[in-house]
Structures are given as structure tokens and as C-alpha cells.
Amino acid sequence: MTEAGLKTDAQNLGVVAAVRGSVVDIRFDGHLPPIYSLLHAQEGRIVIEVLAQLDAQHVRGIALTPTQGLARGMPVEDSGGPLKALVGKGILSRMFDVFGNAIDREAAPTDVRWRSVHRAPPSLARRSTKSEVFETGIKVIDVLMPLERGGKAGLFGGAGVGKTVLLTEMINNMVGQHEGVSIFCGIGERCREGEELYREMKAAGVLPNMVMVYGQMNEPPGARFRVGHAALTMAEYFRDDEHRDVLLLIDNIFRFIQAGMEVSGLMGQMPSRLGYQPTMGTELSGLEERIANTDTGAITSIQAVYVPADDFTDPAAVHTFSHLSASIVLSRKRASEGLYPAIDPLQSSSKMATPGIVGPRHYALAQEIRRTLAQYAELKDIIAMLGLEQLSPEDRSVVARARRLERFLTQPFFTTEQFTGLKGKLVSLKDSLEGCERILRDEFIDYPESALYMIGAVDEAKEKAKSGKSAGTVVEHAAAEIH
């Protein structure tokens, strides 16, 4: 186990009074450890975090490791401090667990130090008030829901609609474009995803500016609950000490809430609505408020949010929405049509999409795209019942524009080249806006819709149509295979 906080001048020893799964009661005859203290049993193999002081002699804690072999009467040692995370230049290109242990089969990092994971958010006086757009190179995001530098964006979607694929693509684009640090925090995710991401990032050559922290789904709820705080402590080090911009990717913030719900249930708290913990709002705010843009640098966060049963009124989704400057909603219907990334442009939004921030031209264009797609959504029922021929010529041209826009806003990703056989594309905001503008001016009305599917800049459609290549069913089927 980690050295963090193991040493203490005078050993404060306690005795296990009761063990109920991950919940452990410990009796101390001397000094009672404060809340968030780490306790060690079985020579550091079992780590317990104090969450409640029951009376003058007893504390109740949650185990951050499996409790097999722990029994009443066993000695417990107070570490004298809270859980600590590794910070320093030596953590770059490495993969860690919640305790700061390297899990990438390489030697322990050097040039590092330990820092408590429980930190206050930056004061209002230190926060930056400037609003800047954070370009991603993904057409549909940059045009319709621009992200904020130092802001928080959420990727909302049910299971299997492409949240993790979109996150990995953003890492790939960001590390190449911005000279910052990426920190990937896997909360309660599959170990397969962690291993694949490590391999992909190594192959792409972006690992030297990346740190990965994982609390996998097989780990106890206490460890999954704290892994977000550990990753954020590392991000704060790069922002405050090294004055660098940080991209913090969290996959998945819902699992953080879920781990908190498990901890709350184990601690015997009365559940709130739909079984969530009564302290959900406070716990989420404690994490989210630390992600901020300060005078020394910015932590820009992109968070995948699993939406239970695709229900956006679920308390976890509602609470997460309140912290975000941009919401990217993934649609199962669009994924089933092979329109990747499967982002629903009408449900997604961004606080940055105002004339004062993105500029009048970009704002007017985004509004016109939304209007066109909304009109098409309304006409779909009529088309299904009566056919396209029954629409007025004006409505037919709206449908043609909307269908071409939908296909133009798809994009081949670098991280999915192995599945689709299509080379990934990074598209600048200028090219994305120009392409949408030309489609709305009916410049591509004589081109087949398939010529605009899975391309980068809009001029590629002309080359595609000339060479007689249509995206066709093969590519659409291949794209659908990704998820």
C-alpha cells in the first residue's frame, strides 16, 4: 500500500469493534481520529476512511479496499492524515489507482510528492471572468454547442451510444492541438476500456502529456467515490503549480454519484428520491466547484454522464446539468441511423452560443441550422404518412437541406479508424461554418446526400461525388458497428 500518511510521530492505535461488509466501526481509547482520516489494518493491506464519529470512543469508516480477513479485536493504526494523491512532473504518461499506486507495470514514479485529495475550490477573487471558446475539431460540437475554456461540458447518453468513443477522440484532438495536459479519470468503468485507452494513446504518441487515474467497477464503493478527487488534485497541481492548461476527462460522473449512493446506503443514511443519497447535491458540488478557470491556468472538463434508462428527469442527470456550461446529448435514434457522432443537435446546448462570445455570423448560422433541423423534425410525421411528394416545394427544400446538414455533421474519428476503415478528420471551425453556410445556400442540392456523409471539409463532397464513391451501405453499416 502507499506510503502516503502512514508515518505518524505517536502511534494512535484502535481496535475493530464491528465489521459489516465495507462498513467498519473502530474503538479508540486515546485520541479520536478526525473525519476523512485514513486508518490501516493488517499492515496497511486494508485501508479505511473515517466518515463519522459515533461517540467519544468510536468512529465509523468505509473501507477503500476489500475487507476479507478483517475481524473484531484486530488492531487498527491511525495514519494521522487524509487520503493523498501523487502530484509532480513524474506522474505524466503514467496510470494510477486511487492510492497513487502505478498500475501500468512500470517502476514507481520519481520526482513526485503527496497532496491531500480534500481541497477547497479556488476563491472567487482568483477565478477568471473571461469567456473563451475551446475548439475541439469536431464539426457538430464547434458549430452548435461550442465548449468553454475552463468550463464543464457533459456528454449525456444511455448505454452504448458512444460517450467513451467521443471522449477518446477529444483527447486525441486536444493533446495534438493544445499544448496542455490531459488527465483521464475512469470512475467505475470497465478495465478493458482503460487498457485499450492506454494502448491507443501510446500508439498516437500523446501519452507523454497524459495521466490516467482509475477506480474500476470491481473496486469497493469507497475507492470509486474518491478517485475523482484524486484526479482533480493532480489537475490542480498542473494548473496552480505549473501554470498549464488541463483537460480533465471524467468517464463517468454518474458512477461517482452511484458510488456515493452505495456509501450512503452502507452508512445507514435515509435514501432520498429514487434511492439516491440525501447528500448528492453537496457531494457533486464539492467535486464540480474545484474545476475552474483561474488567473494561472484553466481546468476544462468533459464528463460522460450515463443517463439511467435514457430518462433525463432522473435526479442524477438533473443535478449534473446544473453545473455544466455545455450539454452534449447523444441520441440512440441517430446512432441507429449510423449518424456518428450520434449527437442530438436540438437537445444539446451551450451557454457559449451567444453573439457576444462566438460572434454574430456564427450565432446566426447556428440558429438557422437548428431552425432547419427543427422544421425537418416536425415534417417527419407528414412524410411518414403521406410521402415526400405531398409537401410544398418550400418544405421539400427544407427537408433536402436538413438531410444534407445531418450528413455533413457526421465525421470520421481517428479513434475508430480500425472499425470503419475511414481516415479520421480534424475540421477547423472556419471550415465547419463555411460548409454549413454553403449547404444552407443550396450549393449542394444537386449532389447526392451520401456524398456529404463521413467527410471532413465540405469540398470533399465534390471529390467524392466525382470519383463516384458513395458512402453507401457498407460504410454506414461499418459506422453502426462502432457501438
Side-chain angles (χ1 to χ4, degrees):
M1 196 46 65
T2 171
E3 296 170 27
L6 267 174
K7 308 280 186 294
T8 168
D9 299 334
Q11 260 189 350
N12 186 22
L13 291 173
V15 172
V16 174
V19 184
R20 289 181 299 279
S22 290
V23 178
V24 187
D25 289 357
I26 300 118
R27 192 182 80 246
F28 283 88
D29 292 324
H31 169 66
L32 206 62
I35 304 289
Y36 299 143
S37 293
L38 276 200
L39 313 176
H40 298 272
Q42 291 192 342
E43 296 172 352
R45 281 195 299 275
I46 295 173
V47 183
I48 301 156
E49 185 179 49
V50 176
L51 288 186
Q53 295 178 333
L54 301 178
D55 54 39
Q57 286 190 309
H58 291 86
V59 293
R60 180 167 290 167
I62 194 97
L64 306 186
T65 54
T67 53
Q68 281 95 331
L70 194 66
R72 288 176 66 184
M74 279 189 174
V76 176
E77 185 186 337
D78 176 10
S79 72
L83 179 68
K84 293 181 179 173
L86 267 181
V87 297
K89 287 193 173 83
I91 66 171
L92 286 170
S93 82
R94 304 300 300 273
M95 194 193 273
F96 300 99
D97 66 7
V98 69
F99 301 108
N101 298 322
I103 53 172
D104 51 10
R105 298 189 185 174
E106 292 184 30
T110 53
D111 188 22
V112 290
R113 55 186 187 275
W114 298 92
R115 193 174 277 180
S116 168
V117 302
H118 303 282
R119 296 166 63 80
S123 64
L124 286 172
R126 279 193 58 217
R127 288 179 188 240
S128 170
T129 53
K130 197 164 61 172
S131 292
E132 290 175 75
V133 171
F134 190 77
E135 220 175 294
T136 65
I138 297 168
K139 290 182 282 194
V140 64
I141 294 175
D142 289 343
V143 172
L144 294 173
M145 58 225 67
L147 305 187
E148 181 185 6
R149 178 181 171 269
K152 297 179 271 279
L155 290 179
F156 290 83
V161 290
K163 296 186 296 295
T164 302
V165 170
L166 202 49
L167 276 188
T168 51
E169 183 68 10
M170 284 187 187
I171 296 173
N172 191 68
N173 295 0
M174 288 317 120
V175 180
Q177 258 185 305
H178 302 255
E179 293 300 307
V181 179
S182 277
I183 295 183
F184 185 90
C185 174
I187 306 178
E189 289 300 295
R190 302 160 189 84
C191 60
R192 166 185 63 78
E193 292 174 349
E195 191 273 332
E196 281 173 5
L197 181 69
Y198 183 79
R199 224 172 345 100
E200 281 168 17
M201 295 302 117
K202 200 168 189 174
V206 296
L207 208 55
N209 281 315
M210 232 184 129
V211 187
M212 298 185 201
V213 195
Y214 280 96
Q216 285 154 214
M217 53 169 59
N218 63 319
E219 293 185 28
R224 283 183 272 127
F225 186 59
R226 286 288 173 235
V227 74
H229 298 96
L232 201 43
T233 305
M234 293 174 179
E236 285 168 338
Y237 163 79
F238 287 110
R239 179 192 66 193
D240 301 337
D241 294 38
E242 299 222 346
H243 300 182
R244 293 175 76 175
D245 280 3
V246 184
L247 178 67
L248 174 67
L249 298 117
I250 301 176
D251 189 9
N252 184 309
I253 199 74
F254 172 78
R255 306 278 178 219
F256 168 77
I257 293 170
Q258 199 176 38
M261 179 163 69
E262 289 177 51
V263 169
S264 170
L266 288 165
M267 293 295 289
Q269 291 178 348
M270 182 74 74
S272 177
R273 195 169 139 236
L274 293 187
Y276 285 104
Q277 64 271 41
T279 52
M280 175 170 66
T282 317
E283 288 168 2
L284 189 62
S285 302
L287 188 76
E288 297 280 11
E289 287 301 303
R290 287 168 64 181
I291 301 168
N293 193 350
T294 69
D295 45 12
T296 55
I299 299 176
T300 302
S301 174
I302 299 167
Q303 307 167 8
V305 187
Y306 167 69
V307 180
D310 291 346
D311 175 17
F312 284 88
T313 62
D314 187 89
V318 171
H319 273 268
T320 310
F321 260 122
S322 65
H323 291 281
L324 306 173
S325 56
S327 305
I328 300 166
V329 178
L330 298 170
S331 146
R332 196 172 300 282
K333 189 171 180 297
R334 291 177 79 82
S336 68
E337 291 168 6
L339 299 172
Y340 288 108
I343 295 169
D344 187 327
L346 299 177
Q347 274 196 287
S348 305
S349 63
S350 170
K351 290 175 185 166
M352 303 298 283
T354 62
I357 297 170
V358 295
R361 176 187 170 232
H362 183 163
Y363 175 74
L365 198 55
Q367 290 300 94
E368 196 178 343
I369 293 165
R370 283 181 192 277
R371 202 160 38 245
T372 306
L373 294 173
Q375 280 176 277
Y376 175 45
E378 283 172 20
L379 293 168
K380 274 181 181 172
D381 288 343
I382 299 170
I383 296 166
M385 286 187 289
L386 305 172
L388 193 62
E389 296 74 32
Q390 299 302 315
L391 296 179
S392 67
E394 196 182 317
D395 283 347
R396 257 181 289 185
S397 64
V398 165
V399 170
R401 268 179 232 136
R403 288 180 65 84
R404 280 163 177 77
L405 278 172
E406 279 186 338
R407 275 142 192 81
F408 175 63
L409 293 175
T410 61
Q411 191 167 339
F413 282 176
F414 292 98
T415 48
T416 57
E417 282 177 17
Q418 59 196 27
F419 304 112
T420 59
L422 294 170
K423 196 170 177 346
K425 298 275 164 67
L426 188 84
V427 187
S428 70
L429 177 62
K430 181 174 166 286
D431 288 347
S432 302
L433 291 172
E434 188 194 338
C436 292
E437 202 167 40
R438 287 166 69 182
I439 290 167
L440 288 167
R441 286 202 311 255
D442 289 339
E443 198 177 307
F444 291 86
I445 205 78
D446 299 326
Y447 286 81
E449 290 170 5
S450 56
L452 290 152
Y453 178 71
M454 284 289 168
I455 59 169
V458 78
D459 285 326
E460 290 177 32
K462 296 186 174 179
E463 292 162 32
K464 201 169 175 181
K466 263 184 214 162
S467 61
K469 271 189 209 163
S470 142
T473 52
V474 180
V475 171
E476 296 207 25
H477 179 68
E481 288 285 310
I482 299 170
H483 305 270

